Amino acid sequence: METPATAEELPLVLTLFPFPHIPKIKEEFSKKFTTLFNKPENSISLQQFLTTNPQSPSVRVLISYPKTPVTSEILNCLPSLGCVLTVSAGTDHIDLVDCRRRGIAVCSAGTIYSEDVADFAVGLLIDVLRKISAADRYVRAGLWPVKGEYPLGSKLGGKRVGILGLGSIGSEVAKRLEAFGCIISYNSRNKKLSVPFPYYSNVIDLASNSDVLIVSCELNKETFHIINKDVMLALGKNGIIINVGRGALVDEKELVRCLVQREIGGAGLDVFENEPNVPKELFELDNVVLSPHKAVLTSESFEALHELILANLDAFFSDKPLLSLVKND
Amino acid sequence: METPATAEELPLVLTLFPFPHIPKIKEEFSKKFTTLFNKPENSISLQQFLTTNPQSPSVRVLISYPKTPVTSEILNCLPSLGCVLTVSAGTDHIDLVDCRRRGIAVCSAGTIYSEDVADFAVGLLIDVLRKISAADRYVRAGLWPVKGEYPLGSKLGGKRVGILGLGSIGSEVAKRLEAFGCIISYNSRNKKLSVPFPYYSNVIDLASNSDVLIVSCELNKETFHIINKDVMLALGKNGIIINVGRGALVDEKELVRCLVQREIGGAGLDVFENEPNVPKELFELDNVVLSPHKAVLTSESFEALHELILANLDAFFSDKPLLSLVKND
């Protein structure tokens, strides 16, 4: 019989949030790994915590999430680090260049959330076009018997939908919207040869030829405020913007102005520039649907994420190929 | 040059609501037909109106809508009637047997609304599973910065969806939900040979094998309260009911009890038993989405309806085959 390893002998994993949530995985996790975690009640910065904690030099893996950037300064405190696993699909909070220089592998959540985010994008779009949330407020306020029929919505079928970023989320959105009879086109860094949809290299051209823009691209220096005033004006008075990417992909101040002044038709927003703060002007509008960055939040995707992280940890500590490895290009 | 016909010479059409709404069709309509309409301010019943109106015997076509039943008594007042055109897909408000006996043709809206209703059903389902309306309320109430992350939703892909009534609406729902990775089965009067989905002749069996029920069948004596307590209990604690058919397809009292006591997981309801009255107990629940019978209400479907009615009128008065003729079987 093997003697169970003591906590000191188990590999040390730094988690930047209380991982894992799921009981059955929690148990498996605690048998295999020791956790280092800066509890919120400590109220010291992560860097202070790591600088003063005697275990920091032994940390082998870091489980990261977007709200806490993984900077050179953090990496300096972790000389034994071999792997960063982020719970997000995006890696814009991780200094990938410095990780590569130090020989630290980075794994993301890969495409685990893509279907859920695509579902949510379609849900937001139907909601904005067909006024579902607004009509639900109308019924709950008791207005149906008083004011009668709710104003007409707009049909989804036949709408020209421009997708920004035809990666795994954008492709899933396209697949779904084709079943509703939408006409798809897209913009991305490069034209994709295997894709049948029209490609626009210029976002303004995409907007001019679309009734709806779905924003599902990566946030980086090139895509910051990619949806600016000119794009919104090109989209036009009846145009709808759905953002399930990152808040800063859209110039939010300009978006609010266009919505308030009816220069665009509506918006479904899961992400905002200054989360959890949402511009208050939007609270009064019936042509917007506001969601608290939850497009990825399903119990199914959480379970898949936990299993992926566990599988990556097992792979890392047994020198097997990592799953969902991020390529530094 | 032809002399324009005077109002007296134009065929007389009785409209049970102020048709048409769309200006360009209004103009075309008024050039071709004379309208008889019991204005709401008259505050007399339709039968009183028809009995006392000297034009009633000359009415050739009746444009009907579901709120005003077309009964034998109404038909008795209209001896020259040759055609009833209803603006609804359903004809449960029309005495079809008596129409047939009198040789009156009946045309419905056919499949004009099917895509819009299917879109709406999918929108309601995503909303209930992913808590879109509830999360929008959360953001608008300013709770995101205070209470943090919104509770997890449930993934659409992989859900077993049972469709009640695989007619034109149900088929459009199936087509859409397949693109999301749902597993479809159905119940209808008869198994459809051309359909690849599993068929359940018994609604309780369908419910036992489904995570979601979509109610999109016709309301008649056989389908009244087809979703009863036993069906809801078979669907179970996480089960979701989407009703885009008619309110009376579901035992509403039982539905409210099951929702309040969490015996089913949630509901998306566009129709109710006693419209426009919605059971107030539902207003407090976050697992329901309430909609004021608006699944058909888009500007696109309205325009299509107006064109269909005009085309049917033209066909009727020029002895050509009617479009969207209802077969009396």
Side-chain angles (χ1 to χ4, degrees):
Chain A
M1 233 179 92
E2 267 190 82
T3 320
T6 63
E8 289 73 36
E9 290 165 342
L10 295 173
L12 190 61
V13 174
L14 171 62
T15 74
L16 300 189
F17 70 118
F19 177 87
H21 298 80
I22 299 172
K24 79 174 179 203
I25 291 179
K26 200 167 195 157
E27 200 188 324
E28 204 181 329
F29 191 84
S30 67
K31 278 186 195 153
K32 292 181 177 172
F33 310 106
T34 303
T35 306
L36 185 63
F37 171 51
N38 179 27
K39 294 199 175 79
E41 55 266 33
N42 292 351
S43 75
I44 54 172
S45 78
L46 177 63
Q47 205 183 335
Q48 283 175 300
F49 172 76
L50 293 178
T51 312
T52 54
N53 193 298
Q55 288 189 292
S56 299
S58 313
V59 167
R60 300 294 316 286
V61 176
L62 185 162
I63 301 179
S64 136
Y65 80 138
K67 282 180 195 162
T68 309
V70 179
T71 60
S72 287
E73 291 70 32
I74 299 297
L75 296 173
N76 279 339
C77 306
L78 304 166
S80 304
L81 194 70
C83 183
V84 176
L85 303 174
T86 177
V87 301
S88 55
T91 52
D92 49 289
H93 60 295
I94 300 170
D95 187 335
L96 293 179
V97 175
D98 202 35
C99 284
R100 182 167 52 177
R101 192 180 61 77
R102 296 173 192 248
I104 298 168
V106 177
C107 295
S108 72
T111 58
I112 268 184
Y113 304 120
S114 302
E115 292 182 352
D116 275 334
V117 175
D119 292 351
F120 207 81
V122 174
L124 287 176
L125 177 56
I126 301 179
D127 195 324
V128 174
L129 282 172
R130 304 299 307 276
K131 308 176 195 282
I132 295 180
S133 294
D136 176 275
R137 280 197 294 280
Y138 185 80
V139 172
R140 286 176 197 250
L143 294 174
W144 190 13
V146 183
K147 289 193 167 186
E149 209 162 79
Y150 199 78
L152 293 178
S154 183
K155 183 179 178 132
L156 180 52
K159 289 281 183 295
R160 298 166 306 159
V161 177
I163 301 179
L164 266 94
L166 203 71
S168 76
I169 294 169
S171 304
E172 293 290 346
V173 170
K175 185 175 114 187
R176 285 154 177 73
L177 289 181
E178 278 201 296
F180 290 84
C182 294
I183 302 147
I184 310 290
S185 58
Y186 74 105
N187 163 267
S188 60
R189 266 170 302 185
N190 302 302
K191 184 168 160 58
K192 290 168 194 278
L193 295 174
S194 60
V195 163
F197 312 122
Y199 170 72
Y200 290 93
S201 59
N202 182 307
V203 181
I204 293 188
D205 291 342
L206 181 74
S208 304
N209 290 286
S210 296
D211 302 306
V212 175
L213 289 181
I214 308 250
V215 187
S216 58
C217 55
E218 207 179 280
L219 176 63
N220 53 41
K221 278 177 197 162
E222 285 72 42
T223 60
F224 176 83
H225 281 197
I226 191 168
I227 306 290
N228 57 25
K229 182 180 173 176
D230 292 341
V231 173
M232 294 182 219
L233 295 182
L235 183 62
K237 270 178 67 174
N238 295 314
I240 287 168
I241 293 174
I242 303 295
N243 190 1
V244 290
R246 287 284 179 272
L249 292 166
V250 177
D251 182 340
E252 189 168 277
K253 214 169 151 182
E254 204 52 54
L255 175 69
V256 169
R257 196 192 59 73
C258 282
L259 284 165
V260 168
Q261 300 186 2
R262 302 277 164 169
E263 288 178 14
I264 64 169
L269 305 171
D270 187 48
V271 287
F272 302 88
E273 281 206 71
N274 185 27
E275 295 174 8
N277 299 301
V278 175
K280 295 228 167 3
E281 299 95 315
L282 300 180
F283 292 6
E284 303 305 313
L285 301 181
D286 267 351
N287 56 337
V288 297
V289 181
L290 305 170
S291 165
H293 200 151
K294 67 185 290 302
V296 304
L297 298 182
T298 67
S299 42
E300 288 85 350
S301 71
F302 256 53
E303 190 148 347
L305 170 73
H306 280 63
E307 279 165 6
L308 176 66
I309 288 181
L310 219 53
N312 267 323
L313 286 167
D314 282 340
F316 177 75
F317 287 112
S318 58
D319 284 326
K320 285 182 183 150
L322 290 161
L323 295 88
S324 66
L325 188 69
V326 174
K327 288 180 189 127
N328 295 349
D329 55 17
Chain B
M1 233 179 93
E2 266 189 83
T3 318
T6 63
E8 288 73 37
E9 290 165 343
L10 296 173
L12 190 60
V13 174
L14 170 63
T15 75
L16 299 189
F17 68 121
F19 176 89
H21 297 81
I22 299 172
K24 80 174 180 206
I25 291 178
K26 201 166 194 159
E27 200 188 325
E28 203 180 331
F29 190 85
S30 66
K31 279 185 194 154
K32 294 181 176 173
F33 310 106
T34 304
T35 306
L36 184 64
F37 172 51
N38 179 26
K39 294 198 175 80
E41 56 266 32
N42 293 351
S43 74
I44 54 170
S45 78
L46 177 64
Q47 206 182 334
Q48 283 175 300
F49 172 77
L50 293 177
T51 313
T52 53
N53 193 299
Q55 288 189 292
S56 298
S58 314
V59 167
R60 302 292 317 283
V61 177
L62 185 164
I63 301 180
S64 137
Y65 79 138
K67 283 181 194 163
T68 309
V70 179
T71 60
S72 287
E73 290 71 33
I74 299 297
L75 296 173
N76 279 339
C77 308
L78 304 165
S80 305
L81 193 70
C83 182
V84 176
L85 303 174
T86 176
V87 301
S88 56
T91 52
D92 48 290
H93 60 297
I94 300 170
D95 187 334
L96 293 179
V97 174
D98 202 35
C99 284
R100 184 169 51 177
R101 191 179 61 80
R102 295 173 192 248
I104 299 169
V106 177
C107 294
S108 72
T111 60
I112 268 183
Y113 305 119
S114 301
E115 293 183 351
D116 275 333
V117 175
D119 292 351
F120 207 81
V122 174
L124 287 175
L125 177 56
I126 302 179
D127 195 323
V128 174
L129 282 171
R130 303 301 306 277
K131 307 175 195 281
I132 295 180
S133 294
D136 177 275
R137 279 198 295 280
Y138 185 80
V139 172
R140 286 177 197 250
L143 294 175
W144 190 11
V146 182
K147 290 193 167 186
E149 209 161 79
Y150 198 78
L152 293 178
S154 183
K155 184 179 178 132
L156 179 53
K159 288 282 183 294
R160 298 167 306 159
V161 177
I163 301 179
L164 265 94
L166 204 72
S168 74
I169 294 168
S171 304
E172 292 288 348
V173 170
K175 185 174 114 187
R176 285 153 178 72
L177 289 181
E178 278 202 296
F180 291 84
C182 293
I183 301 145
I184 311 290
S185 59
Y186 73 105
N187 163 267
S188 60
R189 266 169 301 184
N190 302 303
K191 183 169 159 60
K192 290 170 193 279
L193 295 173
S194 60
V195 163
F197 313 121
Y199 170 71
Y200 290 92
S201 60
N202 182 307
V203 181
I204 293 188
D205 292 341
L206 181 75
S208 304
N209 290 287
S210 297
D211 303 305
V212 175
L213 289 181
I214 308 249
V215 186
S216 57
C217 55
E218 207 180 280
L219 175 64
N220 53 42
K221 277 176 199 162
E222 286 73 41
T223 59
F224 177 82
H225 282 196
I226 190 168
I227 306 290
N228 58 23
K229 183 180 173 176
D230 292 340
V231 173
M232 294 182 218
L233 296 181
L235 184 62
K237 271 178 67 173
N238 296 315
I240 288 168
I241 293 173
I242 303 295
N243 190 1
V244 290
R246 286 284 179 271
L249 292 165
V250 177
D251 182 340
E252 189 167 280
K253 215 169 151 183
E254 206 50 56
L255 176 69
V256 169
R257 197 193 59 73
C258 283
L259 283 166
V260 168
Q261 301 186 4
R262 302 273 164 172
E263 288 177 17
I264 63 168
L269 306 170
D270 186 48
V271 287
F272 302 87
E273 281 206 71
N274 184 26
E275 296 174 7
N277 299 301
V278 176
K280 294 227 167 5
E281 300 94 317
L282 299 180
F283 292 6
E284 303 306 313
L285 301 181
D286 268 350
N287 56 338
V288 297
V289 181
L290 305 171
S291 165
H293 201 150
K294 66 187 290 299
V296 303
L297 297 182
T298 67
S299 41
E300 287 86 349
S301 71
F302 256 53
E303 190 149 347
L305 170 73
H306 279 62
E307 279 165 6
L308 176 67
I309 289 182
L310 220 51
N312 266 323
L313 286 168
D314 282 340
F316 177 76
F317 287 112
S318 57
D319 283 325
K320 286 184 184 148
L322 290 162
L323 294 88
S324 65
L325 188 70
V326 175
K327 286 176 193 133
N328 294 350
D329 54 18

